[in-house]
Structure formats: structure tokens, C-alpha cells
């Protein structure tokens, strides 16, 4: 995996400058009356939609992540694409969940402590899903540190908390939010069923990994080659073989 | 490692000219690699080349797919930055406004103040303590007209004069002090005119008690009169033209002076009324709803259609409670009120509007207090200067509205048609009533029908 340094940064320098200038412009503009109207409109929009977008992005992340491990049907190219979609969707999910928490707390609909303290009520479910999501995202970012060791299941078991966080988030969305239209509930049920099915195939692959034929596996051990070398003559002796012939 | 292949050297000899493209080529390696793949890495070129990517076809395909992956990630980051900037604006606005903005409930309903005692301790919660003690004012009499003191005095006067009627209409005491707005003042601030409303408790649905006030500064104190009292007529008669035109003053005097009997006659067709229609476009059908507590027709809730609320008749427009409630004062002295409007017309208070002019859109918030509606609605009611006018018997838009005690029901009818709560009402415009009404639900049917049946036997 590529590690970045100051010579080759993740975000180019011009982008950082543009973001800083944009932030200053937003800070200045929001103090004006027309800016206040826009900010109120943005807050209404986010208060209405940020939760929905979080759940959509989280669903895309879970489905993408699961597709990236799918070895029975997909080729490597598709899995790389799914992996990229998984990362993009999880970045968006984090952004939208932060926006969702912020506008709900600012709107007076939840106390700040309710955002992180889990509970059994609708908001508490969301807080629990958020805490688990933090753990999942942290393990995802630190993936490289786990990859050097030879125990993939240490990372997988922590990242698999996503399969607990996601249904909790769906439950939060269906109970704490507006009454969902029937097609919304149906879509989420279908997504849950699809993910369960894909998880089942994933478990099959784990339990019975397919045979991976490596290049050169059909060729026999060097002992078989040694008996043929004198018959060929001394036309070409690879450097390695010279020792044994001697 | 020796490279004897000259074409290999020539291929890799050209220096890279665009390092950014090289950074983009690296993500190819994102594929999970096994530990045994170590030695093959050294065979990749240490100097990344961007000159001839098409020379190696075998590399082009994986690079295109990782390009799509990079676009996904870049797009996600850009969107996150945009959302972050929007959140920055939202937080800044919240800090500047010093409170929560854009709450989904009616203004102040969530801040749940304890019921204020209705006597003189009507100090408002916004931190303007100018009248904390009853009648004997301990503060020295202000030498110049003080508008903040005026606001406090109007609040007290509203509670004194309209409090009992509001308590009866709403069924419970109001939980907030009256909402007072000074609409206009004279240049020297000696004359003032504005609106006041007693907020509805957050759990009830009712038409708010509203009143106009006129005030004159005499040395030492304000003289204030609420609409519905004779003093209001006297004050408006003497108001300078710069504050209120004579035509408007005459209209408000009529509004203040009309009696209950005169209002009822104007509405049910006995006297030449204003030709009121239902407050939406002629021909459209909206649905009717009635409140669950209080009088069955205390306030009518209309919803549906295109959501645009229109004036029911010609008159003058006024706004209450910061714009959420609009009142149109008609020529006969009866006024129609429209509660819970969004995007209210920006006309100045006192402007003349015609029947059918758009006043605003239906909404769920209730700035004058009251339970927020479950869907965008307009709360329609009738008023005169001193009190509310019952809708029972009024002819509006071709429909006659009735209230019944047994069963407790409010409905509209026109000839053979009846519209119960939840039903649709088509706005027929300012037309007279239809054929005589059928017996109302709950009454026994006319004896004529049984007679014919007997004769047929």
C-alpha cells in the first residue's frame, strides 16, 4: 500500500489552499443576512436529509465491502472497483453522520451526550450504531498496520462489527426518523436480505477456500530435471544447475 | 541487476515530466499482495514513467479501473469538503444567533416556560425588565417616548382585557406572554400602532386572540387602546396622516365597532356582506378539518391543492406574531384570519388586497402558538374588533357552515351536498347559498317522506 509523505502528499497543496480560502469565504459570508438565509436553508436541508444520506452511504459501504470479498462470482477487477466504492462510501457515511449529529444537536432535538451514549430508545440505538461505526472506521483506516502480521482474522473480527452497526443504524432510521414510506422499508429489508445472502457465501468461501493453482505448480521437483540434463548436452547450463551437475 | 535489453533501457530512460500522473499510477499496487511477492517489486521501474503509457497494453487496463476508483475517492472527498463547509456556516450562524435555529416546532414551543401569572408580573423572557412591579411605578417617568416600555404596557393591557376571553377560547391558560409588534410609529415617536396576540398553549388548537393597539405618548406616559374599545376609535381618529391614512383609520374603526349581531348578519346574507369565498383558488377543492377540542368550528383547517392561500375578500392586510398569522379586515368590519402561513406576502401592514390575492402558503408551524399541524394547513377563522365571530351560519365560498352540539360536529353544506371534517370542499367563489338545506345529522327526517309511503300502501 502506498504511504504518503510531504514529497508526495495525499492531497495536493493547491487543494488545501482552496479549502482554506473556501472556509474563510464561508465564515465571512455566513455573517451577512443573505448568508444567514443560505445557512438556514442548509441547516433545514441537512436536518431533513443527512440521516437518510448517512444510511444510504452506510448501506453502500457495507454492500461494497462485502462485494470486494466476493470470490465466487466477481473477478479481481470488479473487486478492486468494489473496494474503491467501499472506501468512498465510508468516507461519505462518516461525513454525513457527523453532519446529522451536528444539526440534530443544534436543532435542539438531541442532547450532545445522547449522541454517544448508547441506549435502548430510538436515539440510543443510533448512538450505539455510531460508536460501533467509529470502531469500524478506525480499523479500516489502520488496515495497513494489521496487514503485515499473518493473522487476518484479528482485523476481520474487529471490522466485522460493521455487520452489527449497520442493522442498528437501519433500526434507528426506521424508529427515530419520520415514518418511512412502505417502499423505503421494503428496500431496506431487501438490502438486509441481500447482505445476509452474500455473507453466507462469504462464510462458505472461508470454510472451504478454493484451490489456487500457482504458476509452475505442475512442474516436478528439481530431482526429475537432473536426470534429463546430461541427455541434452552442454548447450545451455543455467547458472543454478551448474552446481548440482558438478 | 543487469539490464542487457537496449529497448528496455530506451523505454525507461525518458524522465518523467508529470509527477502527478506517477502518483496516480501507484494505486495499482493496492491489490492485496502476498508476502511472497517481495522480489517481483524490484522489477518494477523505480523511475515512474508517464511518457508512453500506451506502449504497454497490459498495463493500460488495470490503470483505467484504478482511475475509476480514484475518481470515486476524489469525489467522496470533495463532497465531504463541501458538506464540511456547509456545516461550518451552520455552526457559525448558530453561534451568532445565540440559540437553536430552524427548530421544527413553533417558535418557543420547545422552550416550555412555566405558566406566567396573569397579573402585572408580565416581564418578558427576553431580558427587558422594565415593569417588574404593579401600578406604582418606582422608576422615574421617562421624559421621551420609550418604545420598549410601550411593548410591556401593551402586553399587560392585552392580558387584562383579552386574557379571560382567551382562557375560555383555548380551554387552558396561555403559557407565554402576549406577542406584541409595533407596526409603525410617527417620526417623533409620539404615536404608535401595532398588533398584539395572546399565544395559544402548545397543546391546543384554536384561533389566537388578536387585537390592534393604538398608542399616544402624552408627557409622562403612554395612552394605549386595544381594538374593540371605544378609546381605540377615538385614538385612530386623531392619529396623524403620516402614521395611518384616513381610509385605513375608518376601516379599523368599523372593525373595532362592529357588534356580534351585525357581524352575523353580514356573514349569512341578511345584510350586504363582503362576498367572502374560501381562501384558495376558485374551483379548486381542498380538504376541511376541525379541531379536536373546543368549539367544532373554532378554527377551520384547510389543506391540499397547491398550498397557496388567497384572501377570501377585498380588504386590508395585517400581519401578527411575526408574520405567521395574516388578517384581512373587510369593508363590513368583519375580518378573516389565516394562521400558520409560510412565505407570507411582503406587503406593508394596511395595504389593500383584493379577493383572490395570494397571501402565503400553507404550513405546519404555528408562530402564534398552538400545536403544530401534522400536515401543511391554514387555520381559517373570523374576527371582529372585540372578539371572535362564530363561523356557525356563515356563508363562505358558496358553502354554509354549521355547528351542532349533538353530535358534536362542524360541517359545511350547500343544498344537498355536505362536507364533513376530512371531506373535500370545492371553492365556488363569492356565490349565494344554494337550495334550502336538508335536515342536519342528528335531527329526525321531515314527516313528509313517511306520509307518501303510507299513501302508497
Amino acid at each position: 500500500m502506498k504511504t504518503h509523505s510531504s514529497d508526495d502528499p495525499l492531497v495536493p497543496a493547491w487543494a488545501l489552499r482552496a479549502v482554506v480560502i473556501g472556509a474563510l469565504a464561508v465564515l465571512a459570508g455566513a455573517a451577512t443576512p443573505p448568508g444567514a438565509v443560505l445557512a438556514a436553508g442548509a441547516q433545514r436541508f441537512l436536518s431533513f436529509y443527512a440521516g437518510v444520506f448517512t444510511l444510504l452511504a452506510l448501506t453502500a459501504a457495507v454492500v461494497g465491502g462485502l462485494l470486494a470479498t466476493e470470490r465466487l462470482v466477481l473477478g479481481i477487477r470488479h473487486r478492486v472497483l468494489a473496494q474503491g466504492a467501499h472506501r468512498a462510501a465510508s468516507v461519505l457515511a462518516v461525513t454525513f453522520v457527523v453532519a446529522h449529529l451536528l444539526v440534530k444537536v443544534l436543532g435542539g432535538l438531541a442532547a450532545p451526550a445522547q449522541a454517544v451514549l448508547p441506549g435502548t430508545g430510538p436515539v440510543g440505538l443510533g448512538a450505539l450504531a455510531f460508536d460501533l461505526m467509529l470502531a469500524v472506521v478506525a480499523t479500516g483506516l489502520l488496515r495497513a498496520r494489521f496487514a503485515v502480521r499473518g493473522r487476518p482474522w484479528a482485523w476481520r473480527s474487529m471490522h466485522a462489527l460493521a455487520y452489527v452497526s449497520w442493522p442498528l443504524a437501519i433500526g434507528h432510521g426506521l424508529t427515530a426518523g419520520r415514518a418511512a414510506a412502505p417502499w423505503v422499508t421494503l428496500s431496506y429489508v431487501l438490502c438486509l436480505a441481500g447482505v445476509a445472502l452474500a455473507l453466507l457465501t462469504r462464510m462458505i468461501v472461508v470454510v472451504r477456500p478454493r484451490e489456487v493453482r500457482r504458476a509452475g505448480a505442475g512442474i516436478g521437483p528439481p530431482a526429475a530435471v537432473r536426470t534429463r540434463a546430461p541427455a541434452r548436452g552442454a548447450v545451455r547450463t543455467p547458472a543454478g544447475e551448474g552446481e548440482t551437475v558438478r | 541487476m543487469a539490464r542487457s535489453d537496449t529497448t528496455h533501457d530506451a523505454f525507461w530512460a525518458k524522465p518523467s515530466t508529470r509527477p502527478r500522473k506517477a502518483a496516480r499510477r501507484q494505486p495499482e499496487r493496492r491489490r492485496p499482495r502476498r508476502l511472497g511477492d517481495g522480489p517481483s517489486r524490484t522489477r518494477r521501474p523505480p523511475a515512474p514513467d508517464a511518457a508512453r503509457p500506451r506502449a504497454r497494453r497490459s498495463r493500460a487496463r488495470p490503470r483505467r479501473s484504478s482511475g475509476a476508483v480514484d475518481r470515486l475517492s476524489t469525489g467522496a472527498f470533495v463532497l465531504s469538503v463541501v458538506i464540511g463547509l456547509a456545516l461550518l456556516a451552520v455552526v457559525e450562524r448558530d453561534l451568532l444567533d445565540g440559540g437553536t435555529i430552524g427548530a421544527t416546532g413553533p417558535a418557543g414551543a420547545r422552550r416550555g416556560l412555566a405558566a406566567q401569572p396573569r397579573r402585572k408580573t408580565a416581564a418578558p423572557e427576553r431580558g427587558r425588565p422594565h415593569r417588574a412591579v404593579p401600578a406604582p411605578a418606582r422608576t422615574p417617568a421617562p421624559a421621551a417616548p420609550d418604545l420598549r416600555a410601550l411593548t410591556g404596557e401593551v402586553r399587560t393591557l392585552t392580558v387584562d382585557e383579552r386574557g379571560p376571553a382567551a382562557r375560555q377560547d383555548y380551554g387552558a391558560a396561555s403559557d407565554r406572554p402576549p406577542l406584541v409588534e409595533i407596526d409603525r410609529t410617527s417620526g417623533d415617536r409620539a404615536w404608535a400602532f401595532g398588533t398584539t396576540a395572546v399565544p395559544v398553549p402548545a397543546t391546543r388548537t384554536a384561533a389566537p386572540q388578536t387585537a390592534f393597539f393604538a398608542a399616544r405618548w402624552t408627557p409622562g406616559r403612554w395612552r394605549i387602546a386595544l381594538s374593540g374599545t371605544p378609546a381605540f376609535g377615538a385614538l385612530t381618529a386623531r392619529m396623524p396622516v403620516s402614521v395611518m391614512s384616513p381610509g385605513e383609520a375608518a376601516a379599523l374603526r368599523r372593525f373595532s365597532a362592529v357588534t356580534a349581531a351585525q357581524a352575523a348578519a353580514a356573514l349569512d346574507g341578511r345584510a350586504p356582506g363582503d362576498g367572502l369565498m374560501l381562501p384558495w383558488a376558485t374551483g379548486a377543492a381542498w380538504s376541511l378539518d376541525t379541531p379536536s377540542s373546543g368549539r367544532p368550528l373554532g378554527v377551520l383547517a384547510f389543506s391540499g391543492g397547491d398550498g397557496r392561500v388567497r384572501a377570501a375578500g377585498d380588504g386590508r392586510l395585517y400581519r401578527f406574531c411575526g408574520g405567521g398569522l395574516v388578517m384581512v379586515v373587510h369593508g363590513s368590519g368583519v375580518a378573516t384570519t389565516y394562521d400558520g402561513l409560510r412565505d407570507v406576502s411582503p406587503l406593508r401592514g394596511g395595504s389593500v388586497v383584493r379577493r383572490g390575492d395570494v397571501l402565503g402558503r400553507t404550513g405546519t408551524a404555528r408562530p402564534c402558538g398552538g400545536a403544530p399541524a401534522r400536515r401543511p394547513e391554514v387555520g381559517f377563522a373570523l374576527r371582529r374588533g372585540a372578539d371572535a365571530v362564530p363561523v356557525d351560519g356563515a356563508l363562505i365560498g358558496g358553502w354554509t357552515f354549521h355547528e351542532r352540539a349533538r353530535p358534536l360536529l362542524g360541517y359545511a353544506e350547500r343544498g344537498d351536498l355536505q362536507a364533513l371534517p376530512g371531506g373535500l370542499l370545492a371553492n365556488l367563489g363569492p356565490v349565494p347559498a344554494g337550495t334550502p338545506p336538508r335536515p342536519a345529522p342528528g335531527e329526525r327526517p321531515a314527516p313528509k317522506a313517511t306520509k307518501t309511503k303510507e299513501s302508497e300502501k
Side-chain angles (χ1 to χ4, degrees):
Chain A
M1 196 163 122
K2 187 172 197 316
T3 49
H4 294 276
S5 61
S6 45
D7 290 333
D8 181 19
L10 176 66
V11 180
W14 62 265
L16 282 176
R17 279 197 287 268
V19 169
V20 169
I21 291 174
L24 288 175
V26 162
L27 279 176
T32 65
V37 172
L38 287 176
Q43 203 209 14
R44 268 196 301 274
F45 177 82
L46 286 176
S47 183
F48 199 84
Y49 281 117
V52 174
F53 289 164
T54 308
L55 202 43
L56 289 176
L58 196 55
T59 307
V62 167
V63 168
L66 199 46
L67 283 180
T69 63
E70 173 57 61
R71 277 175 255 171
L72 295 181
V73 175
L74 297 179
I76 289 188
R77 200 177 338 139
H78 307 133
R79 289 173 61 192
V80 168
L81 195 56
Q83 180 69 259
H86 169 73
R87 290 174 195 208
S90 41
V91 165
L92 283 180
V94 168
T95 305
F96 279 119
V97 82
V98 167
H100 175 64
L101 286 173
L102 203 57
V103 291
K104 289 304 178 190
V105 168
L106 287 180
L109 296 167
Q114 281 183 291
V116 284
L117 289 179
T120 47
V123 177
L125 271 186
L128 182 56
F130 176 62
D131 293 338
L132 292 174
M133 198 172 131
L134 287 179
V136 168
V137 167
T139 49
L141 289 174
L142 297 174
R143 173 81 170 83
R145 293 182 135 222
F146 287 83
V148 291
R149 299 193 199 147
R151 287 191 311 216
W153 280 102
W155 180 85
R156 280 176 196 164
S157 49
M158 286 167 61
H159 203 66
L161 283 174
Y163 294 121
V164 178
S165 164
W166 181 54
L168 285 178
I170 290 186
H172 167 74
L174 293 179
T175 51
R178 306 174 279 279
W183 63 269
V184 170
T185 316
L186 183 65
S187 333
Y188 281 128
V189 167
L190 286 178
C191 281
L192 280 169
V195 165
L197 193 65
L199 206 49
L200 198 62
T201 55
R202 171 101 175 92
M203 289 296 122
I204 291 173
V205 171
V206 161
V207 167
R208 281 197 44 197
R210 66 166 182 200
E211 293 275 313
V212 178
R213 282 193 294 273
R214 301 181 187 209
I219 303 175
V225 179
R226 216 188 307 154
T227 54
R228 274 191 275 132
R232 279 216 181 152
V235 175
R236 227 173 41 181
T237 47
E241 303 295 320
E243 318 261 14
T244 46
V245 167
R246 248 187 262 134
Chain B
M1 191 169 184
R3 285 192 212 144
S4 53
D5 197 352
T6 50
T7 54
H8 188 82
D9 274 341
F11 185 76
W12 293 116
K14 198 163 178 187
S16 85
T17 48
R18 286 187 293 172
R20 247 184 248 149
K21 223 176 167 189
R24 229 198 301 153
R25 276 193 49 200
Q26 294 304 328
E28 287 174 24
R29 302 194 200 171
R30 230 186 266 165
R31 259 179 278 156
R33 310 179 71 91
R34 294 197 183 84
L35 290 174
D37 280 345
S40 67
R41 287 175 76 179
T42 56
R43 247 191 252 144
R44 298 257 180 166
D49 181 85
R52 271 180 269 168
R54 285 170 203 85
R56 292 282 170 96
R57 275 232 160 228
S58 56
R59 294 242 167 94
R61 238 179 287 132
R63 199 182 304 126
R64 230 185 284 138
S65 69
S66 52
V69 165
D70 287 334
R71 275 197 290 275
L72 279 176
S73 301
T74 313
F77 274 119
V78 165
L79 193 55
S80 301
V81 165
V82 167
I83 302 274
L85 290 178
L87 284 178
L88 185 65
V90 165
V91 170
E92 182 191 343
R93 256 340 302 176
D94 196 64
L95 288 174
L96 286 178
D97 291 342
T100 58
I101 54 174
T104 53
R110 202 162 275 113
R111 302 206 195 144
L113 296 177
Q116 301 257 350
R118 272 191 285 118
R119 287 316 283 180
K120 310 264 168 87
T121 55
E125 72 277 27
R126 281 188 198 86
R128 287 196 229 150
H130 46 268
R131 205 183 150 111
V133 294
R138 271 200 260 129
T139 56
D146 184 0
L147 291 178
R148 287 193 294 176
L150 172 64
T151 310
E153 289 188 31
V154 171
R155 279 208 181 93
T156 316
L157 189 61
T158 308
V159 164
D160 288 346
E161 288 195 10
R162 297 301 179 89
R167 172 80 177 76
Q168 197 178 9
D169 278 351
Y170 304 160
S174 174
D175 53 1
R176 285 184 285 156
L179 299 165
V180 174
E181 280 180 327
I182 300 176
D183 199 26
R184 45 193 120 133
T185 60
S186 61
D188 56 357
R189 306 228 294 227
W191 290 88
F193 170 76
T195 62
T196 171
V198 179
V200 183
T203 51
R204 309 282 174 158
T205 308
Q209 273 283 343
T210 50
F212 295 104
F213 73 87
R216 180 182 182 184
W217 172 258
T218 57
R221 64 185 196 96
W222 286 98
R223 290 180 198 278
I224 314 172
L226 293 186
S227 58
T229 57
F232 181 78
L235 268 179
T236 48
R238 292 209 299 272
M239 210 172 258
V241 178
S242 61
V243 178
M244 188 178 289
S245 65
E248 185 184 349
L252 286 177
R253 271 199 299 280
R254 266 198 305 275
F255 169 75
S256 175
V258 71
T259 62
Q262 290 170 340
L267 283 170
D268 65 2
R270 282 177 284 148
D274 309 294
L276 294 179
M277 71 170 193
L278 290 165
W280 58 87
T282 315
W286 286 26
S287 63
L288 162 74
D289 209 355
T290 52
S292 45
S293 60
R295 288 186 72 154
L297 292 182
V299 60
L300 303 172
F302 297 120
S303 58
D306 61 350
R308 289 200 295 185
V309 176
R310 294 165 184 269
D314 302 339
R316 288 177 184 268
L317 171 132
Y318 295 94
R319 277 183 293 267
F320 290 73
C321 307
L325 185 139
V326 170
M327 177 188 288
V328 177
V329 176
H330 305 294
S332 65
V334 175
T336 44
T337 58
Y338 313 81
D339 193 9
L341 295 185
R342 286 181 291 159
D343 299 339
V344 179
S345 160
L347 293 173
R348 257 188 332 167
S351 314
V352 172
V353 296
R354 303 250 299 273
R355 180 187 306 117
D357 284 352
V358 175
L359 301 174
R361 301 162 67 86
T362 51
T364 53
R366 292 288 179 266
C368 279
R374 254 166 298 166
R375 55 188 173 170
E377 288 176 342
V378 56
F380 182 77
L382 299 171
R383 279 204 72 84
R384 61 188 179 95
D387 204 355
V389 173
V391 183
D392 184 23
L395 170 64
I396 306 175
W399 296 83
T400 311
F401 288 84
H402 295 290
E403 276 177 326
R404 286 289 176 268
R406 269 186 295 272
L408 192 64
L409 174 69
Y411 64 99
E413 70 172 349
R414 178 181 173 79
D416 281 349
L417 300 171
Q418 276 182 350
L420 296 176
L424 285 179
L425 273 181
N427 186 13
L428 302 166
V431 297
T435 55
R438 289 164 37 143
E443 287 179 357
R444 273 176 304 167
K448 220 168 142 194
T450 50
K451 227 180 180 181
T452 47
K453 273 206 171 145
E454 281 175 359
S455 61
E456 272 176 10
K457 280 187 191 168

